[in-house]
C-alpha cells in the first residue's frame, strides 16, 4: 500500500518527482549499425563482455548477422510468444552468471516490448539480490542496474523509454517501476520494423494509442503528460487512418511510441490496461492484443477513443479473435478480476478516488466474459 500511495502522490502532483529518462538516443534508418561503436567505450581490458538478448524471430535473418557481438560476448535468443515472467528473468540472470567469467559491461535488448522489458529487468537483477518478483512495485530497487541498451524492433509499447518493466509474477502482473529501470541508451531504427506481420504491428501500435487515450482522459493528467500524449495520439491517427507509405508509417509510429511512453512518466494508464493485466495473467494473452480485446468493451468509459479505435481497426482490416475466454473456469474469471481490481492507481486515474463506488468486481467479471 505504501508504494501505491507514493506513486499516486507523485503522479497527482502533490510531491513532484525528479524522474530519470533515457540519457542517450540515436535515431534514424540504419542507425542499428552504430551499436558496435556505442558499445566500444564500455569495453575495457579484462571487462569486455556484452550480453545481447534478442528475439528469436531474427535467428535466421539478416539482423542476426549484424549484431556486433565479439567472441567473449553472450547472445541469447528468446521467444517473445509469451509475456515476460519474473521466473524467466531469474533464469536468465543465473544463465549469464554461469557463462560469463566477469560481470558484463552491458545488457542489450533487441526486439519488441517483451525483449525490452526482459533486458531492463535482467540489468536490474544483475546488481540486486533476490528474485525479480521481489521488486514488482514502485521504487523497490536499491542498486543501480547494469548499463543497458534498448533496440526496439516493434513500435507501440513505449518500453524503450518508460521507467517500468512489466512482468508476470507468481501472484500478479506488475511492473518493476524504479529510477533504475530506464535504458541508458536507446537505438531507434525504423528499418528494423520492416516485415512485421500486420496484425502484430496493429496490436502493438494500439498499445500506444490506448494508453494515450487513457492518460489524456485520466485524473492524473498534467501539462507535461498531455504535451507528449497529444503528439503521440495525433501520430497514431495518421498512421492508422491515413494512407502513408510503409517507410513513413514506420517512422511516425516509432515516434508515437516514444512520445506515448514519455506521456505516462508523469501520468498513468487506465481501465483497459488494468483489465489487460488480468487477461494476460490468466490467459497469457500478448499485451497489445489484450488491450485491443478489452478496449472494444469500454465505450462507457472512453466513448470517443473506442469509436476511433474501431475506425482504425476497420481501416487496417483487422479482425479481433472472438470467444477468447469461453473456456475459462469460475476460478479463472475470479483470478482475472482480482488481478485487474488490484491495479488501484489505474482505476483511480480513470474514475477518481471513489472508483470503488463506480465499478464492482462483478462488472469487471462481466467484461471478461464478453471477450
Amino acid at each position: 500500500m505504501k508504494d501505491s500511495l507514493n506513486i499516486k502522490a507523485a503522479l497527482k502532483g502533490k510531491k513532484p518527482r525528479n524522474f530519470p529518462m533515457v540519457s542517450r538516443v540515436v535515431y534514424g534508418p540504419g542507425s542499428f549499425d552504430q551499436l558496435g561503436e556505442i558499445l566500444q567505450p564500455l569495453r575495457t581490458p579484462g571487462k569486455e563482455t556484452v550480453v545481447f538478448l534478442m528475439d528469436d524471430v531474427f535467428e535466421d535473418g539478416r539482423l542476426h548477422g549484424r549484431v556486433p557481438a565479439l567472441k567473449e560476448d553472450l547472445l541469447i535468443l528468446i521467444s517473445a510468444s509469451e509475456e515476460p515472467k519474473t521466473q524467466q528473468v531469474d533464469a536468465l540472470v543465473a544463465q549469464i552468471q554461469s557463462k560469463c567469467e566477469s560481470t558484463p559491461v552491458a545488457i542489450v535488448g533487441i526486439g519488441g516490448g517483451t525483449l525490452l522489458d526482459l533486458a531492463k529487468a535482467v540489468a536490474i537483477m544483475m546488481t540486486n539480490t533476490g528474485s525479480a518478483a521481489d521488486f514488482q512495485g514502485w521504487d523497490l530497487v536499491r542498486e543501480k542496474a547494469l548499463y543497458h541498451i534498448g533496440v526496439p524492433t516493434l513500435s507501440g509499447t513505449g518500453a524503450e523509454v518508460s521507467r517500468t518493466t512489466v512482468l508476470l509474477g507468481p501472484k500478479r502482473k506488475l511492473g518493476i517501476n524504479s529510477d533504475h529501470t530506464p535504458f541508458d541508451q536507446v537505438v531507434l531504427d525504423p528499418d528494423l520494423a520492416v516485415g512485421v506481420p500486420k496484425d502484430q504491428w496493429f496490436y502493438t501500435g494500439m498499445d500506444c494509442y490506448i494508453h494515450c487515450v487513457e492518460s489524456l482522459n485520466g485524473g492524473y493528467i498534467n501539462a507535461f503528460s498531455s504535451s507528449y500524449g497529444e503528439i503521440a495520439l495525433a501520430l497514431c491517427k495518421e498512421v492508422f487512418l491515413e494512407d502513408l507509405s510503409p517507410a513513413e508509417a514506420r517512422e511516425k509510429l516509432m515516434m508515437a511510441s516514444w512520445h506515448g511512453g514519455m506521456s505516462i512518466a508523469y501520468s498513468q494508464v487506465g481501465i483497459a490496461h488494468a483489465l489487460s493485466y488480468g487477461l494476460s495473467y490468466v490467459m497469457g494473452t500478448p499485451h497489445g492484443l489484450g488491450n485491443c480485446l478489452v478496449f472494444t468493451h469500454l465505450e462507457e468509459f472512453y466513448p470517443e477513443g473506442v469509436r476511433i479505435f474501431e475506425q482504425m481497426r476497420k481501416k487496417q482490416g483487422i479482425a479481433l479473435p472472438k470467444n477468447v475466454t469461453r473456456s475459462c473456469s469460475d476460478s479463472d474469471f475470479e483470478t482475472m478480476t482480482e488481478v485487474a481490481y488490484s491495479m488501484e492507481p489505474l482505476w483511480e486515474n480513470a474514475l477518481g478516488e471513489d472508483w470503488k463506488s463506480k465499478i464492482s468486481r462483478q462488472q469487471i467479471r462481466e467484461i471478461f466474459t464478453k471477450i
Side-chain angles (χ1 to χ4, degrees), residues 4 6 11 13 21 25 30 35 80-81 111 165 175 190 202 205 221 233 239 250-252 262 279 299-300 311 332:
S4 178
N6 285 343
L11 292 174
M21 297 178 185
V25 57
L35 184 56
S81 61
T165 168
F202 180 81
I221 194 60
L233 188 64
V239 170
R250 287 194 299 271
E251 293 200 40
K252 286 183 179 291
M262 288 289 292
L279 190 66
E299 189 174 9
E300 174 185 354
Q311 289 180 350
D332 290 334

Side-chain angles (χ1 to χ4, degrees), residues 197-210:
K198 188 172 184 179
D199 56 349
Q200 188 177 17
W201 169 78
F202 180 81
Y203 298 148
T204 309
M206 286 300 98
D207 186 18
C208 177
Y209 170 74
I210 291 168

